[in-house]
C-alpha cells in the first residue's frame, strides 16, 4: 500500500498531499476540522480505531484526519477510502507514544483536536505537558455529557482525577459550569455535588469537606451551586446541569449508565444519546477521550464531537468564560 | 381511632390481639412473617410507609406487621384495613427512635425482620448494637440486588460503609459471595472488584491495594475472585455475580441504575426488577433498608423481600455458609 505522503515522515513532521511543507504551521480551511487520531488507543485498537476513522470520514466531508500510529493501521484506512478522499488523511507513522505524538500535532498546529481511546492517565499527562494547563488547574477534568429525562447534563470528573482533594473538585466545579454554558447552551447552570444523601453531613470525608468551599466559590457563566445531588439526579437531570464528583465514582457511574442506556434506551423517549466521549478540561487544546472499550461507532462519534468542538471554538470560549488567557507549562 | 391493642403499649412491649402476653417471646405461625416497619423512616414518611404497609398487607395474607412510630400513622394503616385484617397488625407507639425500637422487636423475638427507609447510618448502628455483629465483621455491608442482562447481581456496599479500608472490602467480598449463593442461588459465585479499568494498577489508592488481598481470600460457597470489573459489568452481568465496592460508589451507582431502569426499562427485556431494597449483611438478624426517597411501592417491595428472606431463613443460611455460629456485641 502506498500512502499519499512523500515517504514515511517522522511523527513530528506532519504531511498531507497538497498541504504545507513539513514543519510549517498549518491552518485548516474554514469549516474543516483536522483531528489527530490515536490509532493505538483502546482495548481493540487499532481495528476499532480504523473502523471509527472510516465512519467519521464518511459522515463528514470536511473532516481531515491525522492518523498517528503504525503504518499497517494507517494503510487500512487509506485502502478503504476513495482516492479523492485520501487527501483528507495525513499519516504520522510511529510504533509507540501515539498519544504524545497526537498531542504534539495540536501543539505544532498540524491538528485542531485529538481523539484517543487509550489510557486516560497517559493522555492527560501528555496533554498537560505538551499543551499546558490553564492557570489554577493542577489536575485537568474529564467531562462527560449524559442524556437525562430533562436535557443534557455535564458529569465530571469521569476518570482523569482519582483520589482528588476538595480544592481540585472546586476547580472542577468551575470548569464544568463553563462547559455546560458553552457546549450545552445552559443559561445559569446549576452545579450539584454528587453524594449519597440529600441532607448535609452525608457522604464520605471528601464530600463532607466540600460544601463550605462550593458555597463560597465564584462560578462562571452565572452558574450557582445548588447543593447535594444523588445518583438518581444524574438520570433525572431536573436538579442540576453540572454534577461534580471524583474521577473514580464518575467513571463507574458513567460506564454503568451509558451501558444501561445502550441496552434499554435513553432515560427519556425522544432523547438523543450524546457521544460516548469526554472532553479534557483545563488543558490548552481540544482533547477528546473515548473509553478503552470504545467501538468503531463510539470512536466515530468521538471524532465528530472533537470536530464540532473545534468548529464552535468551544475550548477557547470555555477558557474565556473562566478568564484564562494563557496556559502554564509548570 | 381505636387500635386493636390494649391501650398504647410502650414500644418495648409488643402486642397483638390474640397473641402472647407482653414480654413473652413470640414465635410466628408457620408461613407467617412478622415484619417490623419503621413508620418514620424515609423522606416522605410516614405517608409513604403507611401506603407501603397497606400494599404489603394486601399482597400477602400471611404477613404480620409491627408498626413502629407515632399513633396517627399506625391508625392510618388500621383504618384502611378490613377489620379481619387488623389483627395482623401490632402497633408500637413511639414518637422517636423508631428504628432502634424496630430492631428491638427482632432482638426480643416479637418480629422476624425489619424494614426501614430511614437514615442508613442510624439503622446500621442500631442493628449492630441490638442484634450483634458476626465475628470478624466490624462494618456490616448493605447489599443490593440488581437486574442485569445476564441475571441478578449482588452489589455491595451500597451505603453502609463509606471510607472503608481494604480489609473491610475483603470481608464484604465474603459476605457478598454467601449472599449470592443463598439468595440468588448462584453456584460458585464470581466475585469482582469494581474499578475504572480492566488492567491491574487502575483505580484509586484503595482499589490498587485490594487485589492482592482478594486473590488470597478464602471465599464461601465455592466462590472465586475473578478480578477487576467496571461500571458496565454491573449492567451486563456477564463477568461477575458479586461486585464489591465502597458504600459511596455503590450507592451512587445503585441509585443511578435503578432510576435509569425505572425510566427506560430493565437491562434485558424479560428481566424482573428486584426490590429497590438492600439487606444489611453481618448483623444477627434480617434488616432490610429502603432508599430515603422510597415510594409506597418500594416500601411494599422491601417488606415483601424481608418476609421472603425470613421464610427462606436466608440470613441464617448465609451465616452458616460463613461458619458464623454466634454474634458479637463488642
Amino acid at each position: 500500500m502506498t500512502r499519499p505522503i512523500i515517504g514515511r515522515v517522522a511523527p513530528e513532521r506532519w504531511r498531507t498531499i497538497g498541504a504545507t511543507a513539513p514543519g510549517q504551521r498549518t491552518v485548516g480551511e474554514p469549516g474543516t476540522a483536522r483531528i489527530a487520531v490515536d490509532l493505538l488507543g483502546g482495548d481493540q485498537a487499532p481495528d476499532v480505531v480504523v473502523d471509527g476513522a472510516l465512519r467519521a470520514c464518511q459522515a463528514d466531508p470536511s473532516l481531515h484526519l491525522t492518523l498517528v500510529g503504525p503504518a499497517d493501521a494507517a494503510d487500512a484506512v487509506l485502502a478503504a477510502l476513495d482516492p479523492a478522499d485520501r487527501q483528507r488523511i495525513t499519516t504520522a507513522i510511529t510504533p509507540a507514544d501515539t498519544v504524545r505524538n497526537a498531542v504534539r500535532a495540536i501543539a505544532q498546529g498540524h491538528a485542531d483536536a485529538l481523539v484517543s481511546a487509550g489510557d486516560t492517565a497517559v493522555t492527560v499527562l501528555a496533554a498537560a505537558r505538551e499543551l499546558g494547563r490553564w492557570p489554577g488547574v493542577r489536575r485537568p477534568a474529564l467531562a462527560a455529557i449524559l442524556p437525562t429525562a430533562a436535557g443534557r447534563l455535564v458529569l465530571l470528573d469521569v476518570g482523569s482525577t482519582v483520589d482528588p482533594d476538595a480544592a481540585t473538585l472546586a476547580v472542577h466545579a468551575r470548569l464544568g459550569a463553563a462547559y455546560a454554558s458553552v457546549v450545552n447552551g445552559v443559561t445559569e447552570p446549576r452545579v450539584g455535588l454528587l453524594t449519597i444523601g440529600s441532607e448535609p453531613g452525608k457522604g464520605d470525608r471528601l464530600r463532607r469537606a466540600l460544601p463550605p468551599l462550593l458555597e463560597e466559590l465564584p462560578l462562571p457563566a452565572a452558574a450557582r451551586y445548588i447543593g447535594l445531588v444523588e445518583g438518581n439526579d444524574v438520570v433525572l437531570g431536573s436538579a442540576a446541569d453540572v454534577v461534580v464528583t471524583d474521577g473514580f465514582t464518575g467513571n463507574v457511574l458513567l460506564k454503568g449508565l451509558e451501558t444501561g442506556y445502550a441496552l434499554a434506551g435513553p432515560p427519556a423517549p425522544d432523547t438523543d444519546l450524546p457521544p460516548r466521549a469526554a472532553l479534557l478540561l483545563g488543558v490548552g487544546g481540544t482533547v477528546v477521550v473515548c473509553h478503552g472499550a470504545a467501538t468503531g461507532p463510539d470512536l466515530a462519534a468521538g471524532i465528530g464531537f472533537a470536530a464540532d468542538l473545534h468548529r464552535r471554538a468551544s475550548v477557547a470560549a470555555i477558557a474565556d468564560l473562566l478568564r484564562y488567557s494563557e496556559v502554564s507549562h509548570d
Side-chain angles (χ1 to χ4, degrees), chain A:
Chain A
M1 173 76 213
T2 306
R3 286 180 302 286
I5 53 170
I6 306 155
R8 296 201 175 184
V9 296
E12 61 273 23
R13 299 174 61 203
W14 309 89
R15 298 295 307 280
T16 317
I17 285 294
T20 48
Q24 184 178 338
R25 199 172 176 88
T26 54
V27 176
E29 293 291 307
T32 64
R34 302 165 310 154
I35 313 299
V37 175
D38 173 6
L39 288 171
L40 290 185
D43 305 342
Q44 307 297 323
D47 292 358
V48 292
V49 190
V50 168
D51 181 38
L54 287 169
R55 289 171 185 266
C57 279
Q58 281 153 10
D60 180 354
S62 301
L63 191 67
H64 188 117
L65 298 185
T66 295
L67 304 175
V68 187
D72 52 353
D75 287 350
V77 175
L78 290 165
L81 287 173
D82 291 335
D85 284 327
R86 287 182 193 153
Q87 60 184 342
R88 295 202 276 138
I89 305 293
T90 300
T91 59
I93 304 307
T94 171
D97 283 342
T98 45
V99 107
R100 203 181 60 194
N101 284 306
V103 171
R104 282 184 182 160
I106 303 177
Q108 296 172 4
H110 302 294
D112 301 313
L114 84 81
V115 175
S116 177
D119 187 300
T120 300
V122 174
T123 304
V124 173
L125 194 67
R129 199 168 279 173
E130 304 285 338
L131 302 174
R133 288 168 299 177
W134 292 340
V137 183
R138 266 193 52 236
R139 305 181 74 178
L142 205 52
I145 297 178
L146 277 163
T148 79
R152 294 192 168 192
L153 176 145
V154 173
L155 177 68
L156 80 171
D157 179 76
V158 296
S160 161
T161 306
V162 294
D163 298 315
D165 58 12
T168 295
L169 289 205
V171 170
H172 289 184
R174 288 173 45 78
L175 297 174
Y179 188 50
S181 170
V182 168
V183 172
N184 289 350
V186 178
T187 313
E188 301 181 10
R190 298 160 301 164
V191 178
L193 174 65
L194 189 61
T195 188
I196 62 172
S198 48
E199 313 87 40
K202 286 283 184 179
D204 57 3
R205 276 188 292 267
L206 176 62
R207 260 47 72 148
R208 291 195 301 271
L210 263 163
L213 256 76
L214 295 175
E215 279 153 17
E216 299 297 321
L217 188 73
L219 290 169
R224 60 188 198 281
Y225 172 62
I226 55 93
L228 306 176
V229 298
E230 300 187 65
N232 41 303
D233 294 310
V234 178
V235 176
L236 299 172
S238 49
D241 306 298
V242 179
V243 171
V244 178
T245 192
D246 64 284
F248 186 88
T249 307
N251 184 282
V252 165
L253 180 62
L254 176 71
K255 285 178 178 161
L257 291 181
E258 280 186 349
T259 305
Y261 298 153
L263 289 178
D270 52 355
T271 310
D272 282 339
L273 292 177
R276 287 149 61 106
L279 177 64
L280 187 64
L281 289 169
V283 297
T286 302
V287 175
V288 168
V289 171
C290 294
H291 296 303
T295 61
D298 288 337
L299 276 150
I303 294 168
F305 181 51
D308 191 46
L309 290 168
H310 164 66
R311 288 181 178 126
R312 295 162 65 186
S314 299
V315 171
I318 293 167
D320 200 49
L321 266 182
L322 292 161
R323 305 190 191 289
Y324 293 150
S325 56
E326 55 189 21
V327 293
S328 148
H329 282 82
D330 294 349

